[in-house]
């Protein structure tokens, strides 16, 4: 589902005058929008798109999850990890707040590093595209960043293609239209880069360290995998999380344990009671038809590459 808007609405998590996050958010909003989504061939394909996910490593047999959770933000075009941090909250809105502000902080820090390390001027801009496979997370981020010059999309990572993969990513992949790395139209899916990025984080010990300490770890840099393998499951026992869309619940749970609305196939719920409440009190009865209409329109158009 694609979301778009015309009004900028970004507030600090707490105490706008004193909170460092407010200053970070203000600086991020003031960055110009990227003029082109295409990025550039080679290692300069930076800043076109960022993909974010919230994951859990601790899933009980009953399907319950236990914080801390893992927030990962990475750049599909390069495989570079921007943010890897522990999220201590078990409620959707608070956890998503941590994911969003973590991404903003990490993105700005990466810009500062590039400026410090480069002898040439570095173009500063927002990503053209922010993607996730979690519809609740996409809704939350859109509610705060709408109209800032950056599209926010909930995507099927297996279908969404990476545009202008960097040379290192091209070398690791043989999945191009011509069969030779670096030639033809990009056919590398975000899902493949995502799984292999997580593999690098797990093998380097960064996931274990982050979840054990409950803090963001910056010292070790996860190198992209030397070969990209479209594995069928996530490494390290990690599972993707989602939140119940019923506003008074918002419980985080493994996404495959949440029940999906059979109409729009977007809204997810932890059970029938929450689904029924959201259908009536949450006005999803009307919203469901609107989402279906949007999805139908998008089946005739292709998503922008990431």
């Amino acid at each position: 589902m694609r979301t778009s808007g015309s009004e900028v609405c970004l507030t600090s998590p707490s105490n706008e005058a004193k909170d460092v996050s407010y200053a970070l958010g203000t600086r991020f909003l003031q960055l110009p929008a990227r003029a082109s989504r295409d990025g550039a061939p080679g290692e300069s394909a930076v800043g076109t798109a960022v993909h974010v996910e919230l994951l859990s490593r601790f899933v009980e047999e009953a399907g319950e999850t236990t914080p801390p959770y893992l927030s990962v933000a990475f750049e599909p075009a390069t495989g570079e990890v921007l943010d890897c941090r522990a999220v201590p909250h078990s409620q959707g809105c608070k956890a998503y707040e941590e994911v969003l502000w973590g991404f903003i902080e990490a993105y700005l820090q990466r810009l500062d590093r590039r400026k410090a390390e480069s002898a040439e001027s570095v173009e500063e801009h927002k990503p053209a595209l922010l993607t996730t496979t979690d519809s609740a997370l996409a809704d939350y981020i859109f509610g705060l960043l709408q109209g800032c010059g950056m599209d926010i999309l909930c995507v099927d990572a297996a279908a969404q293609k990476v545009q202008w993969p960097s040379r290192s990513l091209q070398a690791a992949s043989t999945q191009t239209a011509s069969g030779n790395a670096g030639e033809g139209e990009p056919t590398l899916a975000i899902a493949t880069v995502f799984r292999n990025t997580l593999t690098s984080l797990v093998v380097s010990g960064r996931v274990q360290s982050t979840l054990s300490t409950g803090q963001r770890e910056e010292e070790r840099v996860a190198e992209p995998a030397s070969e990209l393998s479209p594995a069928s499951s996530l490494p390290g026992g990690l599972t993707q999380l989602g939140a119940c869309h019923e506003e008074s619940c918002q419980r985080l749970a493994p996404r495959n344990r949440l029940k999906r609305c059979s109409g729009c196939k977007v809204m997810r719920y932890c059970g029938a009671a929450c689904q029924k409440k959201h259908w009536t009190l949450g006005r999803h009865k009307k919203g469901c038809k609107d989402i279906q209409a949007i999805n139908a329109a998008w089946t005739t158009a292709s998503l922008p590459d990431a």
Side-chain angles (χ1 to χ4, degrees):
M1 181 180 68
R2 177 174 178 162
T3 53
S4 62
S6 59
E7 179 183 357
V8 174
C9 177
L10 181 60
T11 58
S12 168
S14 63
N15 197 341
E16 292 184 351
K18 298 180 181 179
D19 199 325
V20 174
S21 295
Y22 180 68
L24 291 173
T26 300
R27 181 187 168 193
F28 182 81
L29 286 178
Q30 290 174 344
L31 290 175
R34 186 177 177 92
S36 169
R37 299 180 187 283
D38 294 339
E43 298 306 320
S44 61
V46 173
T48 303
V50 175
H51 188 86
V52 294
E53 292 289 343
L54 183 62
L55 308 109
S56 175
R57 200 174 188 178
F58 311 103
V59 182
E60 301 173 1
E61 291 186 4
E64 298 294 329
T65 58
T66 305
Y69 301 129
L70 185 73
S71 173
V72 175
F74 71 98
E75 195 167 67
T78 63
E80 178 184 351
V81 176
L82 300 182
D83 192 37
C84 179
R85 69 177 61 217
V87 176
H89 309 292
S90 59
Q91 195 256 5
C93 187
K94 292 183 178 179
Y96 291 157
E97 180 180 76
E98 186 86 14
V99 173
L100 171 60
W101 288 96
F103 149 69
I104 289 176
E105 178 186 20
Y107 188 83
L108 292 174
Q109 288 177 346
R110 199 274 300 274
L111 279 179
D112 291 340
R113 286 196 303 270
R114 285 178 56 81
K115 289 168 62 177
E117 295 169 357
S118 177
E120 303 177 357
S121 61
V122 174
E123 180 185 358
E124 291 191 355
H125 52 71
K126 303 183 191 77
L129 188 63
L130 182 67
T131 61
T132 180
T133 60
D134 183 356
S135 59
L137 176 57
D139 287 346
Y140 176 84
I141 296 176
F142 169 69
L144 296 179
L145 294 182
Q146 56 179 313
C148 75
M150 178 177 68
D151 282 339
I152 298 139
L153 303 180
C154 178
V155 300
D156 177 355
Q160 183 79 353
K161 306 305 180 186
V162 177
Q163 190 173 30
W164 292 116
S166 64
R167 291 193 184 98
S168 59
L169 215 57
Q170 289 175 336
S173 171
T174 58
Q175 301 181 58
T176 53
S178 67
N180 297 314
E183 299 180 13
E185 294 297 320
T187 59
L188 184 64
I190 286 181
T192 301
V193 183
F194 176 49
R195 293 189 190 101
N196 286 274
T197 297
L198 287 182
T199 298
S200 296
L201 290 172
V202 170
V203 171
S204 71
R206 191 170 172 186
V207 168
Q208 179 62 37
S209 177
T210 299
L211 293 177
S212 297
T213 62
Q215 297 177 353
R216 180 187 181 199
E217 184 168 328
E218 302 178 79
E219 290 77 12
R220 283 178 286 180
V221 177
E223 297 294 334
S226 58
E227 295 182 2
L228 296 181
S229 173
S232 58
S233 59
L234 299 182
L238 292 167
T239 186
Q240 291 168 301
L241 294 179
C244 177
H245 274 88
E246 205 292 296
E247 288 87 346
S248 64
C249 177
Q250 298 184 23
R251 183 171 69 89
L252 288 169
R255 212 175 303 159
N256 58 5
R257 299 293 183 98
L258 294 171
K259 308 299 182 183
R260 190 168 63 174
C261 174
S262 60
C264 67
K265 302 188 185 331
V266 172
M267 298 296 180
R268 296 175 185 267
Y269 305 96
C270 58
C274 281
Q275 182 176 13
K276 183 177 180 180
K277 187 176 181 180
H278 195 230
W279 182 260
T280 53
L281 299 180
R283 298 190 295 276
H284 183 53
K285 185 175 183 178
K286 178 182 182 302
C288 185
K289 295 180 181 178
D290 294 339
I291 294 173
Q292 290 182 62
I294 294 173
N295 288 342
W298 270 85
T299 58
T300 60
S302 59
L303 288 171
D305 291 328

